[in-house]
């Protein structure tokens, strides 16, 4: 796998900025660094949950539990599973030896998985963590940067238990038949394919991305 130099800048510490250098680390090293980081940052708040979109990522469409996101080059589909979170649903992910990349996640008492499969001339990334999931189709050269954006968003998801008690409590409407099963990767067959086709002609730019060798991620350390 390709390796790129990256700098993660953890901001808002009492004494200033702490730099974590993951220069020339593997995908495994990048994942460990990002997903092991604790953050309380949030710039998008909804009923029952909130999360942080890093600089350079824009929301094109936002619904109750999902959003279509775009960085300068790639689209992402975010889904928040408040039902699974409320019921504390658990499933074991089985690593796929025939995938381009496949790994379970277990950091800070939160679990999930990352699976990457080649689909046509691009790579389909499925990442589930803390009862939220992001899917993306990217070129091979964009995999590392996409994983950084995905990791920052998913590790920032925070739930409001009191609000969710009202929305998806035992005495409220049953959403089980309609909600997406985020615990099982879809690999090549995903609703995101249709979303990608719908937004594939979107040509607006968010501005130039920073130098890939010095990407800064704003992460607040608890």
């Amino acid at each position: 796998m390709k390796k790129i130099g990256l700098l993660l800048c953890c901001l808002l510490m009492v004494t200033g900025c702490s730099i974590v250098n993951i220069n020339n680390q593997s995908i495994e090293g990048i994942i460990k660094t990002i997903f092991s980081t604790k953050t309380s940052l949030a710039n998008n708040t909804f009923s029952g949950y909130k999360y942080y979109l890093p600089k350079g990522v824009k929301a094109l469409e936002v619904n109750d539990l999902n959003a279509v996101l775009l960085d300068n080059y790639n689209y992402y589909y975010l889904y928040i599973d408040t039902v699974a979170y409320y019921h504390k649903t658990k499933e074991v992910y089985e690593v796929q030896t025939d995938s381009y990349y496949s790994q379970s996640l277990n950091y800070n008492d939160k679990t999930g998985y990352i699976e990457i499969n080649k689909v046509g001339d691009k790579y389909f990334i499925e990442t589930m963590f803390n009862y939220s999931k992001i899917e993306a189709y990217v070129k091979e050269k964009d995999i590392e940067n996409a994983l950084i954006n995905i990791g920052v968003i998913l590790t920032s998801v925070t739930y409001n238990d009191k609000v969710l008690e009202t929305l998806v409590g035992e005495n409220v409407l049953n959403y089980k038949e309609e909600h997406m099963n985020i615990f099982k990767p879809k690999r090549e067959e995903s609703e995101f394919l249709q979303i990608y086709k719908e937004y594939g002609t979107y040509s607006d730019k968010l501005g130039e991305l920073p130098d890939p060798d010095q990407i800064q991620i704003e992460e607040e350390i608890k």
Side-chain angles (χ1 to χ4, degrees):
M1 292 185 183
K2 298 192 305 179
K3 300 179 181 179
I4 61 176
L6 299 170
L7 290 176
L8 300 188
C9 183
C10 301
L11 303 179
L12 302 180
M13 293 183 67
V14 175
T15 57
C17 186
S18 174
I19 302 296
V20 179
N21 191 339
I22 55 173
N23 185 53
N24 291 325
Q25 282 197 16
S26 63
I27 285 182
E28 288 86 352
I30 294 171
I31 291 170
K32 181 178 180 180
T33 299
I34 295 175
F35 282 88
S36 63
T37 300
K38 293 182 179 180
T39 178
S40 60
L41 289 178
N43 53 17
N44 287 264
T45 302
F46 304 93
S47 295
Y49 68 94
K50 60 184 178 179
Y51 58 81
Y52 177 75
L53 287 184
K55 183 178 180 180
V57 178
K58 178 180 180 180
L60 298 183
E61 181 178 333
V62 179
N63 296 315
D64 290 340
L65 297 173
N66 53 66
V68 179
L69 310 173
L70 174 69
D71 65 17
N72 209 36
Y73 307 104
N74 302 297
Y75 295 90
Y76 305 81
Y77 179 68
L78 168 67
Y79 179 77
I80 308 292
D81 194 342
T82 55
V83 174
Y85 170 81
Y86 179 82
H87 293 288
K88 298 298 184 289
T89 305
K90 297 286 186 182
E91 289 191 26
V92 177
Y93 172 74
E94 296 184 5
V95 172
Q96 303 297 303
T97 57
D98 57 346
S99 292
Y100 176 85
Y101 185 84
S102 176
Q103 181 64 53
S104 60
L105 301 173
N106 190 345
Y107 297 98
N108 301 316
D109 298 320
K110 300 172 184 177
T111 60
Y113 62 83
I114 292 178
E115 184 170 313
I116 305 175
N117 291 287
K118 188 172 183 180
V119 180
D121 61 347
K122 291 193 175 183
Y123 290 80
F124 181 36
I125 301 175
E126 297 180 84
T127 306
M128 193 280 287
F129 188 70
N130 190 27
Y131 300 101
S132 52
K133 182 180 182 182
I134 292 181
E135 300 174 358
Y137 281 101
V138 305
K139 294 180 179 178
E140 185 174 12
K141 66 181 182 65
D142 294 330
I143 290 176
E144 287 90 348
N145 288 347
L147 288 174
I148 290 172
N149 285 331
I150 290 170
V152 170
I153 297 168
L154 294 185
T155 55
S156 73
V157 174
T158 304
Y159 298 95
N160 187 319
D161 291 343
K162 291 183 179 179
V163 173
L164 292 179
E165 173 68 31
T166 301
L167 294 177
V168 293
E170 297 294 343
N171 297 322
V172 189
L173 294 176
N174 188 337
Y175 297 100
K176 290 184 179 179
E177 294 183 359
E178 299 180 2
H179 87 282
M180 172 194 285
N181 185 349
I182 65 173
F183 298 96
K184 295 183 179 180
K186 298 182 179 180
R187 300 185 172 97
E188 297 185 13
E189 297 182 5
S190 168
E191 291 88 346
F192 184 66
L193 278 171
Q194 186 59 42
I195 295 172
Y196 181 80
K197 291 177 182 178
E198 178 182 351
Y199 286 96
T201 57
Y202 187 87
S203 59
D204 291 347
K205 294 294 183 181
L206 299 177
E208 292 300 320
L209 287 176
D211 185 333
D213 288 338
Q214 291 192 354
I215 294 176
Q216 291 188 334
I217 296 178
E218 301 169 47
E219 286 290 321
E220 179 180 0
I221 303 298
K222 287 184 176 179

